[in-house]
Amino acid sequence: MAPDRRAATIKDVAAAAGVGVATVSRVLSGTGSVSPATRERVQAAARELDYRPSALGRGLKLRRTGSLGLVLPDVTDPFCAEFTAGVLDCARTLGEHVIVDVSHDDPAREAEIVERFAGQRVDGIIAVPSGDAAGWRAASAVGLPVVFAGRVLDDLPAVPAVLCDDRAGVRAAVDYLVGLGHRRPAFLGGPAPGTAVEVRERAFRDTVAELGAVLDEDLVVRARSGRDSAYAAAAGLFQRRPDVTAVLAAGHVPGEAAVLVAREFDLRVPADVSIVMVDDVPWAELCDPPLTVVSRPARELGYRACEVLRRRPATVGRTPPVVLPAELVVRGSCSPPTGMPGAPPRSSRAR
Protein backbone atom coordinates (compact mmCIF):
# COMPACT_ATOMS: atom_id res chain seq x y z
CA MET A 1 0.00 0.00 0.00
CA ALA A 2 1.17 3.49 -0.83
CA PRO A 3 1.70 5.75 2.19
CA ASP A 4 -1.01 8.30 2.92
CA ARG A 5 -0.35 11.62 1.24
CA ARG A 6 0.24 14.54 3.60
CA ALA A 7 -2.79 16.77 3.88
CA ALA A 8 -2.35 20.02 1.96
CA THR A 9 -2.00 23.21 3.96
CA ILE A 10 -2.90 26.79 3.18
CA LYS A 11 0.80 27.41 2.48
CA ASP A 12 0.73 24.67 -0.19
CA VAL A 13 -2.24 26.33 -1.86
CA ALA A 14 -0.51 29.71 -1.75
CA ALA A 15 2.64 28.28 -3.31
CA ALA A 16 0.71 26.47 -6.06
CA ALA A 17 -1.28 29.60 -6.90
CA GLY A 18 1.72 31.91 -6.68
CA VAL A 19 0.13 34.20 -4.09
CA GLY A 20 0.48 34.93 -0.38
CA VAL A 21 -1.24 33.06 2.45
CA ALA A 22 -3.35 36.13 3.26
CA THR A 23 -4.69 36.16 -0.29
CA VAL A 24 -5.66 32.48 -0.07
CA SER A 25 -7.39 33.19 3.23
CA ARG A 26 -9.40 36.04 1.69
CA VAL A 27 -10.45 33.88 -1.26
CA LEU A 28 -11.50 30.88 0.81
CA SER A 29 -13.30 32.95 3.46
CA GLY A 30 -15.04 35.13 0.90
CA THR A 31 -13.85 38.32 2.56
CA GLY A 32 -11.67 41.12 1.27
CA SER A 33 -10.89 42.31 -2.26
CA VAL A 34 -9.30 39.84 -4.69
CA SER A 35 -9.23 40.06 -8.51
CA PRO A 36 -11.33 37.49 -10.43
CA ALA A 37 -8.24 35.98 -12.05
CA THR A 38 -6.48 35.54 -8.71
CA ARG A 39 -9.62 34.11 -7.13
CA GLU A 40 -9.95 31.55 -9.93
CA ARG A 41 -6.27 30.59 -9.66
CA VAL A 42 -6.51 30.06 -5.89
CA GLN A 43 -9.70 28.02 -6.15
CA ALA A 44 -8.18 25.84 -8.87
CA ALA A 45 -5.07 25.21 -6.75
CA ALA A 46 -7.24 24.31 -3.74
CA ARG A 47 -9.26 21.84 -5.82
CA GLU A 48 -6.15 20.25 -7.32
CA LEU A 49 -4.53 19.80 -3.92
CA ASP A 50 -7.83 18.66 -2.34
CA TYR A 51 -7.29 21.32 0.33
CA ARG A 52 -9.64 21.03 3.30
CA PRO A 53 -9.37 24.04 5.59
CA SER A 54 -9.50 23.40 9.32
CA ALA A 55 -12.10 25.02 11.52
CA LEU A 56 -9.56 27.60 12.62
CA GLY A 57 -8.34 28.14 9.08
CA ARG A 58 -11.85 28.84 7.83
CA GLY A 59 -12.14 31.66 10.35
CA LEU A 60 -15.25 32.85 12.11
CA LYS A 61 -18.35 34.50 10.67
CA LEU A 62 -19.18 37.93 11.92
CA ARG A 63 -22.67 36.93 13.06
CA ARG A 64 -23.12 35.87 16.70
CA THR A 65 -24.09 32.31 17.58
CA GLY A 66 -25.13 32.98 21.18
CA SER A 67 -22.67 30.40 22.54
CA LEU A 68 -19.48 30.61 24.59
CA GLY A 69 -16.79 27.98 25.04
CA LEU A 70 -15.45 27.15 28.52
CA VAL A 71 -12.20 25.20 28.92
CA LEU A 72 -11.41 23.80 32.38
CA PRO A 73 -8.59 21.62 33.72
CA ASP A 74 -10.93 19.48 35.86
CA VAL A 75 -14.71 19.78 35.97
CA THR A 76 -14.91 17.76 39.22
CA ASP A 77 -12.65 20.11 41.19
CA PRO A 78 -14.65 22.25 43.67
CA PHE A 79 -12.90 25.44 42.54
CA CYS A 80 -13.70 24.70 38.88
CA ALA A 81 -17.29 23.81 39.77
CA GLU A 82 -17.83 27.17 41.51
CA PHE A 83 -16.02 28.97 38.71
CA THR A 84 -18.32 27.31 36.15
CA ALA A 85 -21.37 28.35 38.18
CA GLY A 86 -20.20 31.96 37.95
CA VAL A 87 -19.73 31.76 34.19
CA LEU A 88 -23.20 30.23 33.79
CA ASP A 89 -24.78 32.92 36.00
CA CYS A 90 -23.34 35.68 33.85
CA ALA A 91 -24.01 33.92 30.53
CA ARG A 92 -27.66 33.47 31.51
CA THR A 93 -28.09 37.21 32.06
CA LEU A 94 -26.54 37.85 28.64
CA GLY A 95 -28.73 35.32 26.86
CA GLU A 96 -25.75 33.08 26.02
CA HIS A 97 -25.36 29.34 26.43
CA VAL A 98 -22.08 27.72 27.44
CA ILE A 99 -20.31 24.70 25.99
CA VAL A 100 -17.95 23.10 28.52
CA ASP A 101 -14.95 20.87 27.86
CA VAL A 102 -12.06 19.60 29.98
CA SER A 103 -8.36 19.76 29.07
CA HIS A 104 -6.89 17.90 32.09
CA ASP A 105 -4.04 20.43 31.69
CA ASP A 106 -2.97 18.62 28.50
CA PRO A 107 -1.86 21.18 25.85
CA ALA A 108 -2.63 18.84 22.93
CA ARG A 109 -6.13 18.16 24.20
CA GLU A 110 -6.60 21.86 24.88
CA ALA A 111 -5.65 22.72 21.28
CA GLU A 112 -8.19 20.17 19.99
CA ILE A 113 -10.91 21.76 22.14
CA VAL A 114 -10.08 25.23 20.82
CA GLU A 115 -10.21 23.90 17.24
CA ARG A 116 -13.58 22.30 17.89
CA PHE A 117 -15.00 25.42 19.51
CA ALA A 118 -13.86 27.45 16.51
CA GLY A 119 -15.64 24.98 14.24
CA GLN A 120 -18.80 25.41 16.31
CA ARG A 121 -18.56 29.17 15.78
CA VAL A 122 -18.63 30.09 19.45
CA ASP A 123 -18.63 33.82 20.13
CA GLY A 124 -15.63 33.51 22.44
CA ILE A 125 -13.78 31.24 24.87
CA ILE A 126 -13.18 31.49 28.62
CA ALA A 127 -10.33 29.25 29.75
CA VAL A 128 -8.16 28.22 32.66
CA PRO A 129 -5.21 27.63 30.29
CA SER A 130 -2.83 24.70 30.53
CA GLY A 131 0.28 26.84 30.21
CA ASP A 132 1.00 26.20 26.51
CA ALA A 133 0.34 29.08 24.11
CA ALA A 134 0.24 27.23 20.75
CA GLY A 135 -3.49 26.55 20.52
CA TRP A 136 -4.34 30.03 21.77
CA ARG A 137 -2.14 31.68 19.14
CA ALA A 138 -4.21 29.93 16.47
CA ALA A 139 -7.39 31.24 18.06
CA SER A 140 -6.02 34.78 18.15
CA ALA A 141 -4.95 34.53 14.52
CA VAL A 142 -8.56 34.13 13.37
CA GLY A 143 -9.95 36.74 15.72
CA LEU A 144 -11.62 34.37 18.19
CA PRO A 145 -12.08 36.35 21.45
CA VAL A 146 -10.45 34.66 24.46
CA VAL A 147 -10.30 35.50 28.16
CA PHE A 148 -8.03 33.63 30.57
CA ALA A 149 -9.04 33.01 34.18
CA GLY A 150 -6.77 32.23 37.11
CA ARG A 151 -3.65 32.01 34.96
CA VAL A 152 -1.94 34.17 32.36
CA LEU A 153 0.45 33.07 29.63
CA ASP A 154 3.52 35.29 29.31
CA ASP A 155 3.68 34.55 25.57
CA LEU A 156 0.19 36.05 25.08
CA PRO A 157 0.17 39.32 27.04
CA ALA A 158 -2.64 40.78 24.92
CA VAL A 159 -5.19 38.18 26.06
CA PRO A 160 -7.39 39.68 28.80
CA ALA A 161 -7.38 37.84 32.12
CA VAL A 162 -9.26 37.71 35.40
CA LEU A 163 -7.07 36.60 38.28
CA CYS A 164 -7.26 35.97 42.00
CA ASP A 165 -4.60 37.60 44.17
CA ASP A 166 -3.14 34.29 45.34
CA ARG A 167 0.08 35.95 46.40
CA ALA A 168 -1.67 38.29 48.82
CA GLY A 169 -3.75 35.40 50.16
CA VAL A 170 -0.69 33.29 50.91
CA ARG A 171 1.05 36.30 52.46
CA ALA A 172 -1.90 36.83 54.80
CA ALA A 173 -1.83 33.16 55.84
CA VAL A 174 1.91 33.13 56.54
CA ASP A 175 1.68 36.43 58.40
CA TYR A 176 -1.09 34.95 60.56
CA LEU A 177 0.91 31.81 61.40
CA VAL A 178 4.09 33.72 62.16
CA GLY A 179 2.08 36.16 64.26
CA LEU A 180 0.86 33.23 66.35
CA GLY A 181 4.48 32.31 67.02
CA HIS A 182 5.19 29.62 64.42
CA ARG A 183 8.78 30.42 63.49
CA ARG A 184 9.27 27.48 61.08
CA PRO A 185 6.02 27.04 59.13
CA ALA A 186 5.82 24.19 56.63
CA PHE A 187 4.52 24.41 53.08
CA LEU A 188 2.65 21.53 51.44
CA GLY A 189 2.35 22.43 47.77
CA GLY A 190 1.11 20.99 44.52
CA PRO A 191 -0.78 21.80 41.30
CA ALA A 192 -4.09 23.59 41.76
CA PRO A 193 -6.70 24.72 39.21
CA GLY A 194 -6.75 28.41 38.60
CA THR A 195 -3.18 29.37 39.44
CA ALA A 196 0.35 28.94 38.21
CA VAL A 197 1.93 26.13 40.23
CA GLU A 198 4.86 28.17 41.54
CA VAL A 199 2.97 31.32 42.59
CA ARG A 200 1.96 30.11 46.05
CA GLU A 201 5.32 28.59 46.93
CA ARG A 202 7.13 31.75 45.85
CA ALA A 203 4.76 33.85 47.95
CA PHE A 204 5.35 31.54 50.94
CA ARG A 205 9.13 31.79 50.62
CA ASP A 206 9.14 35.56 50.17
CA THR A 207 6.83 36.19 53.11
CA VAL A 208 8.69 33.91 55.50
CA ALA A 209 11.91 35.75 54.65
CA GLU A 210 10.32 39.20 54.94
CA LEU A 211 8.86 38.40 58.37
CA GLY A 212 12.20 37.20 59.71
CA ALA A 213 10.99 33.62 60.25
CA VAL A 214 13.09 30.58 59.33
CA LEU A 215 12.80 29.18 55.82
CA ASP A 216 13.56 25.52 56.43
CA GLU A 217 13.95 23.72 53.07
CA ASP A 218 13.10 20.44 54.75
CA LEU A 219 9.65 21.84 55.51
CA VAL A 220 8.89 22.83 51.90
CA VAL A 221 7.24 19.78 50.33
CA ARG A 222 5.78 19.47 46.83
CA ALA A 223 3.23 16.93 45.65
CA ARG A 224 2.31 15.94 42.13
CA SER A 225 -1.26 16.11 40.94
CA GLY A 226 -3.66 13.74 42.69
CA ARG A 227 -4.71 12.71 46.18
CA ASP A 228 -2.29 9.79 46.49
CA SER A 229 0.70 12.03 45.84
CA ALA A 230 -0.58 14.67 48.26
CA TYR A 231 -1.11 12.05 50.97
CA ALA A 232 2.39 10.65 50.48
CA ALA A 233 3.88 14.14 50.65
CA ALA A 234 2.01 14.97 53.86
CA ALA A 235 2.92 11.65 55.48
CA GLY A 236 6.57 12.13 54.56
CA LEU A 237 6.54 15.62 56.07
CA PHE A 238 5.07 14.53 59.42
CA GLN A 239 7.31 11.44 59.63
CA ARG A 240 10.48 13.32 58.75
CA ARG A 241 9.75 16.36 60.88
CA PRO A 242 7.83 15.47 64.07
CA ASP A 243 8.67 18.97 65.32
CA VAL A 244 6.50 20.73 62.71
CA THR A 245 4.02 23.08 64.38
CA ALA A 246 2.18 24.65 61.43
CA VAL A 247 1.38 23.70 57.83
CA LEU A 248 0.16 25.87 54.98
CA ALA A 249 -1.49 23.62 52.39
CA ALA A 250 -1.44 25.25 48.95
CA GLY A 251 -4.80 23.81 47.87
CA HIS A 252 -7.73 21.74 49.06
CA VAL A 253 -6.17 18.42 47.91
CA PRO A 254 -2.96 18.84 49.98
CA GLY A 255 -5.12 20.35 52.72
CA GLU A 256 -7.27 17.24 52.83
CA ALA A 257 -4.09 15.13 52.94
CA ALA A 258 -2.68 17.16 55.84
CA VAL A 259 -5.89 16.69 57.86
CA LEU A 260 -6.07 12.94 57.16
CA VAL A 261 -2.39 12.30 57.96
CA ALA A 262 -2.57 14.36 61.17
CA ARG A 263 -5.55 12.26 62.25
CA GLU A 264 -3.79 8.98 61.45
CA PHE A 265 -0.71 10.13 63.36
CA ASP A 266 -2.86 11.03 66.37
CA LEU A 267 -1.97 14.71 66.04
CA ARG A 268 -4.52 17.14 67.40
CA VAL A 269 -5.41 20.22 65.39
CA PRO A 270 -4.46 22.83 66.54
CA ALA A 271 -2.89 21.60 69.80
CA ASP A 272 -0.16 19.63 68.00
CA VAL A 273 -0.18 21.20 64.56
CA SER A 274 -1.92 24.23 63.08
CA ILE A 275 -3.26 23.93 59.53
CA VAL A 276 -4.20 26.64 57.02
CA MET A 277 -5.51 25.69 53.59
CA VAL A 278 -5.89 27.63 50.35
CA ASP A 279 -9.47 27.33 49.00
CA ASP A 280 -12.63 27.35 51.08
CA VAL A 281 -14.27 24.11 49.95
CA PRO A 282 -17.48 22.96 51.71
CA TRP A 283 -15.87 20.34 53.91
CA ALA A 284 -13.37 22.85 55.39
CA GLU A 285 -16.02 24.33 57.67
CA LEU A 286 -17.29 20.87 58.65
CA CYS A 287 -13.93 19.71 60.01
CA ASP A 288 -13.40 19.44 63.74
CA PRO A 289 -12.14 22.04 64.28
CA PRO A 290 -13.18 24.02 61.18
CA LEU A 291 -10.19 24.89 59.00
CA THR A 292 -8.73 28.35 58.63
CA VAL A 293 -8.58 29.01 54.89
CA VAL A 294 -7.54 31.42 52.19
CA SER A 295 -10.83 31.88 50.37
CA ARG A 296 -10.62 32.57 46.62
CA PRO A 297 -13.78 33.95 44.97
CA ALA A 298 -14.16 31.24 42.34
CA ARG A 299 -17.76 32.08 41.47
CA GLU A 300 -17.03 35.79 41.09
CA LEU A 301 -13.95 34.91 39.04
CA GLY A 302 -16.16 33.03 36.57
CA TYR A 303 -18.78 35.78 36.46
CA ARG A 304 -16.22 38.50 35.84
CA ALA A 305 -14.42 36.45 33.18
CA CYS A 306 -17.70 36.15 31.28
CA GLU A 307 -18.30 39.89 31.60
CA VAL A 308 -14.81 40.67 30.32
CA LEU A 309 -15.28 38.36 27.35
CA ARG A 310 -18.52 40.04 26.30
CA ARG A 311 -17.10 43.53 26.80
CA ARG A 312 -13.67 42.75 25.37
CA PRO A 313 -12.27 45.92 23.79
CA ALA A 314 -11.23 45.71 20.16
CA THR A 315 -7.71 46.91 20.91
CA VAL A 316 -4.34 45.30 20.44
CA GLY A 317 -1.70 45.26 23.14
CA ARG A 318 -1.29 44.33 26.77
CA THR A 319 -4.54 44.46 28.73
CA PRO A 320 -4.21 44.87 32.52
CA PRO A 321 -5.79 41.86 34.23
CA VAL A 322 -8.77 42.14 36.53
CA VAL A 323 -7.50 41.03 39.96
CA LEU A 324 -9.92 39.85 42.64
CA PRO A 325 -8.90 39.69 46.32
CA ALA A 326 -8.34 36.53 48.33
CA GLU A 327 -9.55 36.56 51.93
CA LEU A 328 -8.10 34.88 55.02
CA VAL A 329 -10.98 33.27 56.91
CA VAL A 330 -9.88 32.49 60.48
CA ARG A 331 -11.55 29.48 62.10
CA GLY A 332 -10.42 27.00 64.73
CA SER A 333 -7.51 25.10 63.16
CA CYS A 334 -4.69 27.39 64.31
CA SER A 335 -3.27 28.34 67.70
CA PRO A 336 0.07 29.45 69.15
CA PRO A 337 2.66 26.65 69.36
CA THR A 338 3.18 24.82 72.64
CA GLY A 339 4.83 26.92 75.30
CA MET A 340 3.47 30.25 74.11
CA PRO A 341 0.67 32.18 75.82
CA GLY A 342 -2.70 30.99 74.64
CA ALA A 343 -1.41 27.69 73.35
CA PRO A 344 -3.44 24.55 74.17
CA PRO A 345 -1.61 21.71 75.97
CA ARG A 346 0.21 19.44 73.53
CA SER A 347 -0.59 15.76 73.33
CA SER A 348 1.92 12.93 73.04
CA ARG A 349 2.61 12.52 69.32
CA ALA A 350 2.20 8.88 68.37
CA ARG A 351 4.28 7.48 65.52
Side-chain angles (χ1 to χ4, degrees):
M1 293 180 60
D4 293 337
R5 188 177 65 176
R6 179 180 66 86
T9 67
I10 195 170
K11 291 183 179 179
D12 297 329
V13 175
V19 298
V21 170
T23 300
V24 175
S25 178
R26 288 197 297 273
V27 170
L28 298 180
S29 65
T31 61
S33 177
V34 180
S35 70
T38 299
R39 184 180 304 278
E40 184 178 345
R41 195 162 69 248
V42 169
Q43 290 173 340
R47 286 194 301 270
E48 183 178 347
L49 293 172
D50 192 26
Y51 173 65
R52 300 176 184 275
S54 68
L56 283 172
R58 287 193 299 270
L60 301 174
K61 295 180 180 179
L62 294 178
R63 65 180 178 85
R64 294 180 51 75
T65 62
S67 61
L68 304 175
L70 176 59
V71 185
L72 302 168
D74 181 1
V75 75
T76 65
D77 182 89
F79 175 87
C80 290
E82 276 294 296
F83 174 79
T84 301
V87 172
L88 293 174
D89 286 345
C90 183
R92 191 175 299 113
T93 66
L94 298 171
E96 303 269 5
H97 70 272
V98 180
I99 307 170
V100 183
D101 211 330
V102 180
S103 69
H104 297 298
D105 270 336
D106 179 352
R109 182 165 181 169
E110 183 177 74
E112 292 174 0
I113 294 170
V114 175
E115 169 85 10
R116 185 164 58 254
F117 280 166
Q120 294 171 322
R121 299 293 192 262
V122 298
D123 295 331
I125 299 177
I126 300 166
V128 179
S130 68
D132 187 275
W136 301 111
R137 285 198 189 94
S140 297
V142 297
L144 177 58
V146 174
V147 170
F148 291 150
R151 302 172 184 166
V152 293
L153 301 183
D154 293 336
D155 293 340
L156 295 173
V159 176
V162 181
L163 309 175
C164 180
D165 196 347
D166 277 52
R167 182 173 181 83
V170 169
R171 287 178 60 88
V174 175
D175 184 70
Y176 175 62
L177 290 173
V178 173
L180 288 174
H182 298 280
R183 303 301 299 170
R184 296 176 182 268
F187 179 83
L188 185 57
T195 185
V197 173
E198 72 280 359
V199 167
R200 296 174 187 176
E201 181 179 335
R202 191 183 308 128
F204 173 84
R205 290 176 174 276
D206 291 347
T207 307
V208 167
E210 290 170 10
L211 294 176
V214 179
L215 181 59
D216 192 330
E217 290 295 337
D218 203 34
L219 293 176
V220 178
V221 181
R222 304 175 191 89
R224 296 185 303 276
S225 180
R227 283 179 164 77
D228 290 344
S229 177
Y231 182 90
L237 171 65
F238 286 128
Q239 286 177 331
R240 187 175 63 255
R241 293 296 300 264
D243 60 327
V244 64
T245 64
V247 176
L248 171 59
H252 65 87
V253 173
E256 176 185 288
V259 171
L260 290 175
V261 171
R263 185 179 301 162
E264 291 189 8
F265 281 30
D266 292 331
L267 301 177
R268 293 182 304 159
V269 177
D272 299 322
V273 62
S274 293
I275 297 177
V276 179
M277 179 178 75
V278 177
D279 278 340
D280 193 9
V281 294
W283 60 261
E285 199 168 7
L286 301 177
C287 282
D288 184 19
L291 286 186
T292 293
V293 298
V294 175
S295 178
R296 297 190 298 155
R299 198 180 191 104
E300 184 182 358
L301 198 73
Y303 197 100
R304 294 291 295 276
C306 188
E307 283 187 327
V308 170
L309 181 65
R310 293 293 284 109
R311 300 172 184 173
R312 187 173 185 262
T315 57
V316 178
R318 183 180 293 273
T319 303
V322 176
V323 180
L324 304 180
E327 178 187 5
L328 180 68
V329 181
V330 176
R331 296 182 180 134
S333 63
C334 299
S335 68
T338 302
M340 294 195 66
R346 196 162 195 167
S347 65
S348 59
R349 303 182 67 163
R351 292 288 172 220

